[in-house]
Amino acid sequence: MSSPVPPHPAAAAPPPPYEIKIVSHSNLFYWWPVWAVGIIIAFLTSLSGHRMAIVPKDTKAYRSAKVEAKEGDKSVTIPDRDVLVTPKAGELPPTGKLDQAAEDPHYHIATSKSYGVLYAVVLLLVITITNVPLRGLWSVVVIVLVITLSIIFALAEYQGRSWWDHIFEALNRLHIYINAAGYWVISLALLAIWLVTFIFFDPQIYMVFNPKQLRVRQEIGGGEAAYDTTGMVIQKQRNDLFRHWVLGLGSGDLIVNTSGATSHHFDMPNVLFVGYKLRQIEDMLREVQLTS
């Protein structure tokens, strides 16, 4: 008779990582909605099938007109077309060159004015959020203020209509148009700068934790300083609702205070996954205390 198989021992929990690197990112990280929205709008504008015509002042638009034009030595008549008529000849690109044929419109443009308005709103919001920190109670104050103003604008009336009706009517008259090349150039250039900063420059400012030591570099090209982890106090700050949660996707600031006669204070702003990183550091330091 075969002997019974002993029960398999419970798998031990994996040890915490020996080193944990914390990278402080620049505020440019929060600009990802600008290039992301810009690339989406650029793609939609390129597929729209419409072109932008560059015409001088006092150009007139006519519907269902009959056009008589010259193509080389031939005269052609084109009936029933919508046309744009310039004040005088030679004002279509290339301007002032009557011996050359006028260029056909070829700049990609979308007919919807909402694309330009959306892009402008995203750009202005990102500029405001990344430059006006609203921490803690200020985030709540701003949200309450926005809700309160929304209710007031809905209840208040002017000329028999609510303030919101007048605001939406004014916004409906707002036309912002950018051609596809404009969206592509701005968005791709910003994406390239964002990637270079995120991949190459941001990792130059960091903290590296190991069970016995903390190594810190606070500026690009600067030296690295080492500190003992004994008695170290680590905190996270993630109280800016708009910057940390909306744009930062759960990022936050890490604050470290060393102990000893020459204690030091370090602020590491814009740390991605700061909660997960802090738990890793705490587990590692706790493991050191248990084994020492």
Side-chain angles (χ1 to χ4, degrees), residues 41-51 108-109 180:
I41 295 178
F43 184 73
L44 296 175
T45 302
S46 300
L47 296 179
S48 66
H50 292 85
R51 302 294 183 268
H108 292 264
I109 197 76

Side-chain angles (χ1 to χ4, degrees), residues 206-223:
Y206 60 81
M207 288 181 174
V208 176
F209 292 85
N210 64 44
K212 296 294 184 180
Q213 194 179 62
L214 166 67
R215 304 198 313 273
V216 181
R217 177 188 283 175
Q218 294 184 281
E219 57 186 24
I220 297 176

Side-chain angles (χ1 to χ4, degrees), residues 31-63:
W31 280 65
W32 64 266
V34 178
W35 59 256
V37 172
I39 289 175
I40 294 174
I41 295 178
F43 184 73
L44 296 175
T45 302
S46 300
L47 296 179
S48 66
H50 292 85
R51 302 294 183 268
M52 178 177 66
I54 301 176
V55 296
K57 182 182 177 182
D58 298 327
T59 297
K60 301 295 182 182
Y62 296 94
R63 290 195 181 277

